[in-house]
Amino acid sequence: MNFVALKMLTGDRAKYLGLIFAIAFCTFLLENQTSIFASVLKRTGSQILDVTDADVWVMDAKTEYFEQTKALKDTDLTRVRGVNGVEWAVKLFKGYPVARTRAGKFAACILLGLDDATLTGAPRKMLLGSWERLREPDSIVVDNAGYILLFPDEPLELDRELEMNDHRVRIVGISDASAPFLSNPVIHTRYSQAVNFVGRERTQLSYVLVHPQPGVSGEEVCRRIEAETGLRARTTDQFRWDCILYYLKNTGIPVNFGITITIALIVGTVVAGQTFYLFTLENLKQFGALKAIGVTNWRLTGMVLLQAFTVGVMGFGMGTGMAAAFFEMTLRKIARGAQALRGWRARPGIARCRLRGPAGGTYFHCWPERFWQDHALIRDHRVAGSKRRRGGIVREQRWPFASQPANPVSP
């Protein structure tokens, strides 16, 4: 009878395929929206997960999530260090300065000030440069997405300059930090420099990062810190979930995604159910014939359920495959873009020096461009066409970046 039920299901190819594609599209939309919803919520605590050195976060007693900070007193750090079970505790600053490039591009940034002595919380995933260079004066590490936002359509390059609160800073590293909830560049620097980039206030300490002693759990250290200091202490996982629950309770994100998911579920169910109902009505004669030869009602019900289960499994599998293929295509596109940007830094380059003269004196202007050149090549020629300048001479000197002098000059 199961074979008969499947033959009846596949007999009308149009309705059979219509049922499968209706369920597949509903599944694709549900999984797509659900994955986006989960990704958005994961971003709320991305900066918390990036700090892998510490297990416990200590904050003001009224702090509810990462973006909401109330500065602690400097003496709170000493109090936390005195709690039994704390191996070490360091300070962390968080602010939102505005970073400007020389070209005038600016953006509000998430600035994280790390402990000067230990650099606890520094990004460990680096695309270019090293987080150890944060010990240099006026140095910062910016995330890859933030670099692209500040320097669009430009290759990854170190030692670029930014301005923050009338302070000139240098980019000494480009990190692969997790994407924040908002599309702000994530910048890491030392604590002593971060407070100057934002502007000094009476109290500056945002968080205290704590590592428990061996054999003492993070939850136990949190209870001891809260009991002895009156501050709020949360483990990394607890603090991340606090951020997720805050956005679920106090924003419209779950409502918006919930409406979309509910509509997709209702539409998919109605379309598939109506089509399957019409399919069953058209096969009433066959079911009647089976009933006449002695097939019980439970057996007929089982045949209908088998048809529904078969269509549901095939539609769900196809929809899941569509969602996985869409995700894979998007991920590969992003990966190719990131790989192309990272590839720029491995290429040798060309530095052009243009001398204006003879009437222009010895003034020259140099700028780097990314071209592949395996050997040194010196070429002099007159400026032609649209690049013509009166009496001007362009001299190009090419060499690998490793041997490129700081101030190239044409011979």
Side-chain angles (χ1 to χ4, degrees), residues 1-10 19 23 272-273 275-288 290 295-313:
M1 287 301 168
N2 293 337
F3 176 76
V4 174
L6 295 178
K7 291 295 289 185
M8 292 171 60
L9 176 65
T10 58
L19 284 169
I23 296 175
T275 306
F276 194 77
Y277 175 72
L278 295 175
F279 169 80
T280 306
L281 288 180
E282 291 180 357
N283 290 277
L284 283 179
K285 294 181 180 180
Q286 288 79 357
F287 286 119
L290 293 173
V295 178
T296 63
N297 291 336
W298 284 108
R299 188 62 175 173
L300 293 176
T301 303
M303 294 173 63
V304 174
L305 292 178
L306 176 62
Q307 294 173 345
F309 177 77
T310 302
V311 173
V313 170

Side-chain angles (χ1 to χ4, degrees), residues 388-411:
R388 183 178 304 248
R389 291 187 180 217
R390 193 168 200 176
I393 297 178
V394 174
R395 292 183 176 138
E396 296 180 348
Q397 185 173 356
R398 303 189 182 191
W399 50 77
F401 275 107
S403 60
Q404 178 175 327
N407 297 306
V409 179
S410 297

Side-chain angles (χ1 to χ4, degrees), residues 365-399:
H365 178 66
C366 303
W367 68 96
E369 294 181 14
R370 300 304 197 256
F371 291 100
W372 184 262
Q373 187 73 17
D374 294 329
H375 59 278
L377 172 63
I378 302 176
R379 183 176 55 189
D380 296 354
H381 60 84
R382 293 276 178 181
V383 180
S386 60
K387 296 183 179 180
R388 183 178 304 248
R389 291 187 180 217
R390 193 168 200 176
I393 297 178
V394 174
R395 292 183 176 138
E396 296 180 348
Q397 185 173 356
R398 303 189 182 191
W399 50 77

Side-chain angles (χ1 to χ4, degrees), residues 50-357:
D50 282 348
V51 179
T52 59
D53 306 318
D55 299 328
V56 175
W57 292 65
V58 181
M59 64 209 77
D60 184 79
K62 299 299 182 181
T63 300
E64 298 180 271
Y65 68 115
F66 181 73
E67 304 298 332
Q68 181 190 62
T69 57
K70 181 181 178 182
L72 304 175
K73 300 177 182 179
D74 293 337
T75 55
D76 291 331
L77 175 61
T78 306
R79 295 169 60 200
V80 171
R81 288 174 174 172
V83 175
N84 186 26
V86 174
E87 183 175 2
W88 51 258
V90 296
K91 49 190 177 181
L92 178 72
F93 173 82
K94 183 174 73 68
Y96 297 94
V98 176
R100 299 178 183 272
T101 67
R102 286 190 172 183
K105 180 75 174 179
F106 66 92
C109 305
I110 300 175
L111 179 65
L112 299 176
L114 314 176
D115 181 65
D116 290 59
T118 62
L119 296 180
T120 300
R124 296 298 187 255
K125 298 179 181 179
M126 301 295 296
L127 299 178
L128 192 62
S130 172
W131 58 268
E132 287 90 348
R133 291 188 61 187
L134 286 175
R135 303 185 188 279
E136 300 176 8
D138 300 325
S139 58
I140 63 171
V141 170
V142 63
D143 68 317
N144 184 40
Y147 183 95
I148 296 174
L149 179 64
L150 292 170
F151 302 98
D153 302 324
E154 297 187 31
L156 302 184
E157 185 176 347
L158 297 181
D159 295 324
R160 284 183 177 268
E161 293 185 352
L162 294 174
E163 178 188 335
M164 288 192 294
N165 192 23
D166 296 329
H167 289 79
R168 187 180 65 178
V169 298
R170 290 184 305 108
I171 299 176
V172 298
I174 300 175
S175 67
D176 189 20
S178 302
F181 181 72
L182 300 177
S183 299
N184 299 104
V186 180
I187 296 178
H188 293 80
T189 186
R190 287 182 287 118
Y191 186 95
S192 58
Q193 295 183 154
V195 295
N196 293 326
F197 297 159
V198 175
R200 287 191 172 273
E201 298 178 358
R202 188 175 61 86
T203 54
Q204 302 281 353
L205 182 59
S206 302
Y207 296 99
V208 175
L209 303 179
V210 175
H211 185 74
Q213 294 178 351
V216 183
S217 65
E219 292 78 5
E220 178 61 27
V221 171
C222 290
R223 287 192 291 269
R224 295 177 183 178
I225 292 175
E226 291 179 348
E228 297 185 24
T229 65
L231 302 174
R232 189 166 186 256
R234 307 289 284 172
T235 64
T236 298
D237 192 59
Q238 290 174 345
F239 197 24
R240 180 176 65 90
W241 276 105
D242 288 343
C243 297
I244 294 175
L245 294 177
Y246 179 88
Y247 280 93
L248 286 175
K249 294 178 181 178
N250 298 281
T251 66
I253 294 177
V255 176
N256 294 332
F257 279 95
I259 291 174
T260 304
I261 293 173
T262 303
I263 291 176
L265 183 61
I266 292 175
V267 171
T269 303
V270 169
V271 172
Q274 183 69 18
T275 306
F276 194 77
Y277 175 72
L278 295 175
F279 169 80
T280 306
L281 288 180
E282 291 180 357
N283 290 277
L284 283 179
K285 294 181 180 180
Q286 288 79 357
F287 286 119
L290 293 173
K291 179 70 174 176
I293 63 176
V295 178
T296 63
N297 291 336
W298 284 108
R299 188 62 175 173
L300 293 176
T301 303
M303 294 173 63
V304 174
L305 292 178
L306 176 62
Q307 294 173 345
F309 177 77
T310 302
V311 173
V313 170
M314 296 187 66
F316 179 80
M318 184 176 294
T320 303
M322 292 167 57
F326 177 79
F327 172 77
E328 187 68 18
M329 287 167 41
T330 305
L331 189 64
R332 286 186 179 182
K333 185 176 180 180
I334 295 174
R336 283 197 300 267
Q339 184 178 5
L341 285 174
R342 290 194 296 267
W344 284 111
R345 73 176 188 264
R347 300 183 180 182
I350 171 176
R352 294 184 178 177
C353 301
R354 172 163 298 172
L355 283 80
R356 297 185 182 179

